[in-house]
PDB file of all heavy atoms in Angstrom:
ATOM      1  N   GLY A 358     136.254 -12.306  83.637  1.00 84.00           N
ATOM      2  CA  GLY A 358     135.256 -11.445  84.243  1.00 84.00           C
ATOM      3  C   GLY A 358     135.221 -11.524  85.754  1.00 84.00           C
ATOM      4  O   GLY A 358     136.163 -11.952  86.410  1.00 84.00           O
ATOM      5  N   ASP A 359     134.104 -11.085  86.315  1.00 85.00           N
ATOM      6  CA  ASP A 359     133.880 -11.055  87.765  1.00 85.00           C
ATOM      7  C   ASP A 359     133.242 -12.372  88.188  1.00 85.00           C
ATOM      8  O   ASP A 359     132.161 -12.722  87.703  1.00 85.00           O
ATOM      9  CB  ASP A 359     132.960  -9.873  88.101  1.00 85.00           C
ATOM     10  CG  ASP A 359     132.674  -9.737  89.588  1.00 85.00           C
ATOM     11  OD1 ASP A 359     133.012 -10.659  90.362  1.00 85.00           O
ATOM     12  OD2 ASP A 359     132.095  -8.713  89.982  1.00 85.00           O
ATOM     13  N   PRO A 360     133.856 -13.106  89.102  1.00 81.00           N
ATOM     14  CA  PRO A 360     133.282 -14.410  89.468  1.00 81.00           C
ATOM     15  C   PRO A 360     131.887 -14.328  90.075  1.00 81.00           C
ATOM     16  O   PRO A 360     131.131 -15.299  90.020  1.00 81.00           O
ATOM     17  CB  PRO A 360     134.295 -14.976  90.481  1.00 81.00           C
ATOM     18  CG  PRO A 360     135.090 -13.809  90.943  1.00 81.00           C
ATOM     19  CD  PRO A 360     135.114 -12.840  89.805  1.00 81.00           C
ATOM     20  N   ALA A 361     131.515 -13.172  90.637  1.00 75.00           N
ATOM     21  CA  ALA A 361     130.185 -13.032  91.225  1.00 75.00           C
ATOM     22  C   ALA A 361     129.112 -12.857  90.165  1.00 75.00           C
ATOM     23  O   ALA A 361     127.933 -13.125  90.409  1.00 75.00           O
ATOM     24  CB  ALA A 361     130.155 -11.849  92.189  1.00 75.00           C
ATOM     25  N   VAL A 362     129.514 -12.408  88.980  1.00 74.00           N
ATOM     26  CA  VAL A 362     128.547 -12.081  87.933  1.00 74.00           C
ATOM     27  C   VAL A 362     128.710 -12.979  86.709  1.00 74.00           C
ATOM     28  O   VAL A 362     127.730 -13.476  86.151  1.00 74.00           O
ATOM     29  CB  VAL A 362     128.695 -10.597  87.509  1.00 74.00           C
ATOM     30  CG1 VAL A 362     127.723 -10.269  86.377  1.00 74.00           C
ATOM     31  CG2 VAL A 362     128.474  -9.685  88.705  1.00 74.00           C
ATOM     32  N   HIS A 363     129.953 -13.174  86.299  1.00 80.00           N
ATOM     33  CA  HIS A 363     130.225 -13.938  85.086  1.00 80.00           C
ATOM     34  C   HIS A 363     130.534 -15.395  85.421  1.00 80.00           C
ATOM     35  O   HIS A 363     130.521 -15.794  86.582  1.00 80.00           O
ATOM     36  CB  HIS A 363     131.399 -13.298  84.327  1.00 80.00           C
ATOM     37  CG  HIS A 363     131.166 -11.871  83.967  1.00 80.00           C
ATOM     38  ND1 HIS A 363     131.821 -10.832  84.601  1.00 80.00           N
ATOM     39  CD2 HIS A 363     130.336 -11.303  83.049  1.00 80.00           C
ATOM     40  CE1 HIS A 363     131.424  -9.681  84.076  1.00 80.00           C
ATOM     41  NE2 HIS A 363     130.530  -9.937  83.134  1.00 80.00           N
ATOM     42  N   HIS A 364     130.859 -16.160  84.390  1.00 78.00           N
ATOM     43  CA  HIS A 364     131.160 -17.576  84.582  1.00 78.00           C
ATOM     44  C   HIS A 364     132.649 -17.806  84.830  1.00 78.00           C
ATOM     45  O   HIS A 364     133.231 -18.759  84.308  1.00 78.00           O
ATOM     46  CB  HIS A 364     130.667 -18.392  83.382  1.00 78.00           C
ATOM     47  CG  HIS A 364     129.194 -18.663  83.418  1.00 78.00           C
ATOM     48  ND1 HIS A 364     128.660 -19.803  83.965  1.00 78.00           N
ATOM     49  CD2 HIS A 364     128.145 -17.922  83.008  1.00 78.00           C
ATOM     50  CE1 HIS A 364     127.343 -19.773  83.871  1.00 78.00           C
ATOM     51  NE2 HIS A 364     127.004 -18.635  83.287  1.00 78.00           N
ATOM     52  N   ARG A 365     133.249 -16.925  85.611  1.00 84.00           N
ATOM     53  CA  ARG A 365     134.620 -17.156  86.056  1.00 84.00           C
ATOM     54  C   ARG A 365     134.545 -18.103  87.249  1.00 84.00           C
ATOM     55  O   ARG A 365     133.680 -17.973  88.113  1.00 84.00           O
ATOM     56  CB  ARG A 365     135.284 -15.839  86.465  1.00 84.00           C
ATOM     57  CG  ARG A 365     136.780 -15.966  86.723  1.00 84.00           C
ATOM     58  CD  ARG A 365     137.400 -14.636  87.150  1.00 84.00           C
ATOM     59  NE  ARG A 365     138.852 -14.730  87.187  1.00 84.00           N
ATOM     60  CZ  ARG A 365     139.672 -14.134  86.337  1.00 84.00           C
ATOM     61  NH1 ARG A 365     139.160 -13.397  85.349  1.00 84.00           N
ATOM     62  NH2 ARG A 365     140.979 -14.266  86.427  1.00 84.00           N
ATOM     63  N   CYS A 366     135.477 -19.042  87.305  1.00 87.00           N
ATOM     64  CA  CYS A 366     135.421 -20.084  88.336  1.00 87.00           C
ATOM     65  C   CYS A 366     135.509 -19.487  89.736  1.00 87.00           C
ATOM     66  O   CYS A 366     136.437 -18.729  90.030  1.00 87.00           O
ATOM     67  CB  CYS A 366     136.563 -21.067  88.118  1.00 87.00           C
ATOM     68  SG  CYS A 366     136.599 -22.398  89.330  1.00 87.00           S
ATOM     69  N   PRO A 367     134.568 -19.815  90.636  1.00 87.00           N
ATOM     70  CA  PRO A 367     134.649 -19.320  92.013  1.00 87.00           C
ATOM     71  C   PRO A 367     135.724 -20.025  92.826  1.00 87.00           C
ATOM     72  O   PRO A 367     135.996 -19.641  93.966  1.00 87.00           O
ATOM     73  CB  PRO A 367     133.251 -19.627  92.571  1.00 87.00           C
ATOM     74  CG  PRO A 367     132.818 -20.843  91.817  1.00 87.00           C
ATOM     75  CD  PRO A 367     133.389 -20.674  90.429  1.00 87.00           C
ATOM     76  N   GLY A 368     136.332 -21.058  92.257  1.00 88.00           N
ATOM     77  CA  GLY A 368     137.342 -21.824  92.979  1.00 88.00           C
ATOM     78  C   GLY A 368     138.752 -21.312  92.846  1.00 88.00           C
ATOM     79  O   GLY A 368     139.691 -21.951  93.326  1.00 88.00           O
ATOM     80  N   GLU A 369     138.949 -20.131  92.227  1.00 94.00           N
ATOM     81  CA  GLU A 369     140.307 -19.596  92.107  1.00 94.00           C
ATOM     82  C   GLU A 369     140.982 -19.407  93.465  1.00 94.00           C
ATOM     83  O   GLU A 369     142.180 -19.680  93.590  1.00 94.00           O
ATOM     84  CB  GLU A 369     140.291 -18.284  91.320  1.00 94.00           C
ATOM     85  CG  GLU A 369     140.124 -18.503  89.830  1.00 94.00           C
ATOM     86  CD  GLU A 369     140.230 -17.217  89.043  1.00 94.00           C
ATOM     87  OE1 GLU A 369     139.372 -16.344  89.246  1.00 94.00           O
ATOM     88  OE2 GLU A 369     141.161 -17.084  88.225  1.00 94.00           O
ATOM     89  N   PRO A 370     140.269 -18.931  94.499  1.00 94.00           N
ATOM     90  CA  PRO A 370     140.926 -18.841  95.810  1.00 94.00           C
ATOM     91  C   PRO A 370     141.424 -20.192  96.319  1.00 94.00           C
ATOM     92  O   PRO A 370     142.436 -20.267  97.016  1.00 94.00           O
ATOM     93  CB  PRO A 370     139.830 -18.266  96.725  1.00 94.00           C
ATOM     94  CG  PRO A 370     138.922 -17.536  95.802  1.00 94.00           C
ATOM     95  CD  PRO A 370     138.913 -18.347  94.538  1.00 94.00           C
ATOM     96  N   ILE A 371     140.717 -21.265  95.971  1.00 96.00           N
ATOM     97  CA  ILE A 371     141.158 -22.606  96.369  1.00 96.00           C
ATOM     98  C   ILE A 371     142.466 -22.945  95.656  1.00 96.00           C
ATOM     99  O   ILE A 371     143.421 -23.424  96.276  1.00 96.00           O
ATOM    100  CB  ILE A 371     140.067 -23.652  96.057  1.00 96.00           C
ATOM    101  CG1 ILE A 371     138.862 -23.433  96.978  1.00 96.00           C
ATOM    102  CG2 ILE A 371     140.616 -25.072  96.204  1.00 96.00           C
ATOM    103  CD1 ILE A 371     137.694 -24.361  96.701  1.00 96.00           C
TER     104      ILE A 371
END
Side-chain angles (χ1 to χ4, degrees):
D359 181 349
V362 178
H363 302 108
H364 281 267
R365 189 181 189 110
C366 180
E369 284 185 296
I371 291 177

